[in-house]
Amino acid sequence: MNDGKSSKLGTPKNFLIPIMLLHLRDLNSHGYELMQKITQFGFNAVDQGNLYRILRQLEKDGKVTSEWDTASDGPAKRIYSITTAGEQYLDVWANSLASYQNMINQFFNLYQPLFPYKQPSNDLDVEQ
């Protein structure tokens, strides 16, 4: 299935999108500021061109809106905001991730008594 969602739980395939929407839910932001927040979240490799392509696609899909900010010093910047459709998309992700979290917790409840394991690194490489 290549509709942007996994076949089992309905989770969209690109984890970067809900992270972007989550940050936009807290604060309207321009692309560079959003990239900084994503990096602070734990993604250590975010392609700037890809980020703006995703933002344009999210806008085309009605999940975000943007407008030019000309009031700030320096060149005009696009300020992005989440829409109601974007919040609904984020809710789908949250519900799907809750299901995955439950499965992962069950996995580790069974795994831990049998095998010691290393804690994974917090850095995620994203090149999409």
Side-chain angles (χ1 to χ4, degrees):
M1 180 185 280
N2 192 11
D3 63 355
K5 296 186 177 189
S6 69
S7 58
K8 290 285 183 187
L9 295 176
T11 304
K13 66 179 180 176
N14 188 344
F15 190 54
L16 186 58
I17 291 172
I19 302 306
M20 292 167 68
L21 293 173
L22 188 60
H23 286 297
L24 289 174
R25 190 169 179 207
D26 288 337
L27 179 68
N28 297 341
S29 178
H30 57 81
Y32 180 76
E33 183 178 38
L34 188 57
M35 187 178 305
Q36 289 176 319
K37 289 183 181 286
I38 291 167
T39 302
Q40 291 169 356
F41 187 85
F43 290 91
N44 63 8
V46 179
D47 177 77
Q48 187 174 1
N50 188 40
L51 179 94
Y52 285 102
R53 278 189 295 279
I54 291 170
L55 283 168
R56 283 191 300 274
Q57 186 61 48
L58 288 172
E59 190 166 16
K60 183 178 176 185
D61 294 343
K63 292 177 179 69
V64 302
T65 60
S66 70
E67 58 185 44
W68 286 103
D69 175 17
T70 56
S72 301
D73 291 340
K77 299 174 188 165
R78 271 203 183 279
I79 302 294
Y80 295 90
S81 306
I82 192 169
T83 64
T84 301
E87 288 180 354
Q88 291 169 348
Y89 186 84
L90 195 53
D91 287 344
V92 168
W93 256 95
N95 291 329
S96 296
L97 288 175
S99 295
Y100 279 117
Q101 184 175 19
N102 184 40
M103 286 189 289
I104 290 169
N105 289 343
Q106 289 179 46
F107 172 84
F108 280 110
N109 286 339
L110 292 172
Y111 180 85
Q112 283 177 320
L114 302 173
F115 306 100
Y117 71 96
K118 270 188 159 175
Q119 197 69 356
S121 169
N122 287 337
D123 293 336
L124 303 173
D125 287 323
V126 177
E127 292 181 17
Q128 297 182 1

